[in-house]
Amino acid sequence: MAEITGPVRVRFAPSPTGYLHIGGVRTALFNWLFARHYGGQFILRLEDTDEKRFVQGAADDIMASLRWVGVDWDEGPDIGGPHAPYVQSERKDLGIYQRHAEQLVASGHAYKCFVNAEEEEAMRAAWAAKGERPERFRFRGPERDWSAEQVAEAEASGRPYTIRLKVPLDGATSFSDLIRGGDRITIHHADLYDLVLLKTSGMPTYHLAHLVDDHLMGITHVIRGEEWVPSAPYHILLYQAFGWELPIFAHVPNIMRQDGKGKLSKRKDDVSTNRFWERGYLPEAMFNYLALQGWSYDDKTEIMSREEIVERFTIDRVLASPARWNPEKLKDMNGIYIRSLSTAEIADRIVPYLVQAGMISESPRPEDLSYVLQLVPLIHERLEELQQAPELLAFFFQELPTYDPKLLIQKQMDAPRTLDMLRAVHAAFNTLETWTTAGLETELRTLVERFGVKPGQLFGAIRVAVSGRSVAPPLFETLAVLGRERCMARVADAAAALE
RNA sequence: GCCCCCAUAGUCUAGCGGCCUAGGACGUCACCCUUUCAAGGUGAAGAUCGCGGGUUCGAAUCCCGCUGGGGGUACCA
């Protein structure tokens, strides 16, 4: 493994064709961690060279997702930098790619190809017809061997053309990868085709654009998804054609779908980064989980702060084998992070959810906030996602929905005895001097003894009476916060339901 | 079809030739705590280290083959 010395510059270059899914965030994260660990720079660049798939607003959405998990950039579309602009369509207007493509044509490494899409399709069909096996058609333009006059003539006629890389017919290209080990990957040129560098529209393809930009922007390490391994030889050929120094490659494995059938996809999986944000995943939990998708520190440590991960992240501990998306594990980790926050922090973070659920007003009053502060301890360690808060706290804000009175009757109890107990509870609530958690507990335990029942038989009935459900936060705390008035009313309602 | 990559329990992983009677985590199950649910604690089940050959005194670890999975095969990225 080559030692990493000197300044490193890496980039994440998403295509604004939709939201960013967590697999994309993971790739960005590894780049970012690499940059931060080695004290280098992390650059964000927008690769919007696909005019057809462009989605308005996607770029802002992607940047918001990255910022949310804590991935920030030193240079980028919105903040600029020494190599601005960082948006490829804008760079195209500057003629950067055109110029470089022409340069390769001039040096004989590329050529203008006048074969249009329909003609290419026909050639492909002819190829398929004559071959016994449906072998892949490896396009080589006839213009490879044209004379300067022929090219000039075709150009003069105004026919549209693409610029293609003139890939050698034989030989092979080998390259090394930081994650897979040195000089392991070899691809024969016969398996390649003449890649389009510049489209008919004058827009560069990803292959040309990313490479020119990486070079111009001084990118030292290309850390990208493993789906790029097969096209890496083209990139190497391109670097060689330009006479540029190669960056160091590191192809990180994809994150596979939960069922293991393929890599995560926007269309088939609910993995939009925004969705996790909305559901109440803490960015620090997502950061931690994602860092562990393909990277590990040792045989036991999993919960680590951003700082610890930055300090410990090295590319040689990134696996070559793909990880599988495991929402259960993420949820567990989110719970750990939620529990590590203070009451005030949780209160701050659940207020928006309560507002959205209509439980408190858009601009919460101080008394709303102090009420929330009282409620947080009741659900804090039960939260796995912040969005669960409104559901868990509903009965503190709203009238009870109608519930099945049978729920009031606990194990080995019957309706008459339950009714007796509820009436006694009502009376006790009425006369209780100190309406506090401790006072309530003392009082109710006395009742348990008086009725000679198990604690659960009494407490369970009160829980249902007061919350409308059999699973709820701890009882005495709940009663304390709910207040005497509402508790008495609800117990009275419960008793009435049993009569 | 062709090309490339990958392969330790259901899942994420530790392991980089002897410390492995394969360690940790999620999930599952049991028990403890306990007013429910959680959280916490203890423990259990779960891996012939995909299969077959080598190399070696010795292989989960190195090599080859096979199988399986994934990726690529666009004027998409």
Side-chain angles (χ1 to χ4, degrees), chain A residues 168-190:
Chain A
L169 266 10
D170 40 40
T173 291
S174 294
F175 65 101
S176 57
D177 180 302
L178 239 31
I179 292 169
R180 276 145 241 274
D183 247 27
R184 282 269 199 74
I185 306 171
T186 297
I187 294 179
H188 297 275
H189 298 331

Side-chain angles (χ1 to χ4, degrees), chain A residues 34 72 91-92 112 137 153 156 173 197 209 242 272 352 377 409 461:
Chain A
F34 184 79
D72 58 352
R91 298 174 68 77
K92 175 241 175 191
K112 292 174 178 170
F137 175 57
E153 193 182 319
T173 291
L197 301 177
F242 279 119
S272 139
I409 303 164

Side-chain angles (χ1 to χ4, degrees), chain A residues 202-406:
Chain A
M203 190 66 95
T205 59
Y206 160 83
H207 302 287
L208 204 225
H210 95 274
L211 191 138
V212 167
D213 287 344
D214 281 353
H215 176 257
L216 261 24
M217 295 180 179
I219 300 302
T220 58
H221 298 255
V222 172
I223 302 172
R224 69 215 315 189
E226 67 175 334
E227 67 270 24
W228 296 106
V229 170
S231 54
Y234 293 110
H235 304 331
I236 289 164
L237 254 13
L238 260 176
Y239 276 107
Q240 290 168 346
F242 279 119
W244 294 339
E245 192 186 341
L246 283 173
I248 293 166
F249 292 100
H251 291 94
V252 305
N254 282 132
I255 299 178
M256 306 267 283
R257 309 181 56 191
Q258 211 181 342
D259 61 8
K261 300 201 183 307
K263 61 175 178 176
L264 238 33
S265 78
K266 285 189 245 200
R267 285 198 49 203
K268 297 176 185 165
D269 307 287
D270 187 18
V271 288
S272 139
T273 308
N274 296 328
R275 281 287 296 137
F276 291 99
W277 186 346
E278 290 160 11
R279 285 163 62 185
Y281 280 82
L282 305 190
E284 43 275 62
M286 184 60 95
F287 183 103
N288 196 156
Y289 174 79
L290 252 20
L292 259 16
Q293 291 295 290
W295 174 82
S296 65
Y297 174 57
D298 62 12
D299 61 337
K300 342 204 116 81
T301 318
E302 287 197 336
I303 302 300
M304 292 173 272
S305 68
R306 284 179 212 279
E307 293 70 29
E308 286 170 323
I309 294 173
V310 165
E311 182 180 333
R312 295 167 179 177
F313 184 87
T314 53
I315 205 85
D316 60 292
R317 289 197 64 85
V318 174
L319 269 336
S321 55
R324 199 180 295 198
W325 176 236
N326 186 350
E328 287 302 311
K329 177 96 175 181
L330 203 215
K331 196 181 268 191
D332 175 71
M333 198 169 267
N334 199 46
I336 293 172
Y337 274 87
I338 285 175
R339 273 172 254 130
S340 76
L341 294 182
S342 69
T343 299
E345 285 168 320
I346 292 295
D348 280 347
R349 300 209 198 198
I350 65 170
V351 161
Y353 293 88
L354 300 178
V355 169
Q356 199 190 1
M359 293 175 177
I360 56 181
S361 68
E362 202 94 17
S363 43
R365 299 164 301 165
E367 53 265 47
D368 289 335
L369 297 179
S370 67
Y371 190 44
V372 172
L373 230 32
Q374 281 184 279
L375 294 175
V376 168
L378 307 195
I379 59 163
H380 194 159
E381 67 185 17
R382 271 155 265 262
L383 284 176
E384 283 181 310
E385 299 174 351
L386 261 21
Q387 69 164 2
Q388 294 165 336
E391 161 75 8
L392 291 171
L393 296 176
F395 69 93
F396 284 100
F397 292 93
Q398 294 151 186
E399 291 305 309
L400 252 34
T402 49
Y403 57 89
D404 184 354
K406 284 198 189 74

Side-chain angles (χ1 to χ4, degrees), chain A residues 59-94:
Chain A
D60 288 338
D61 192 80
I62 289 168
M63 291 195 279
S65 290
L66 290 172
R67 286 210 168 91
W68 174 66
V69 289
V71 169
D72 58 352
W73 43 97
D74 304 302
E75 299 167 29
D78 54 340
I79 57 172
H83 301 282
Y86 292 86
V87 179
Q88 289 184 332
S89 57
E90 294 173 24
R91 298 174 68 77
K92 175 241 175 191
D93 293 340
L94 262 27

Side-chain angles (χ1 to χ4, degrees), chain A residues 422-440:
Chain A
L422 287 175
R423 282 175 174 152
V425 167
H426 186 82
F429 280 177
N430 190 222
T431 56
L432 184 66
E433 283 185 28
T434 52
W435 191 267
T436 59
T437 301
L440 283 157

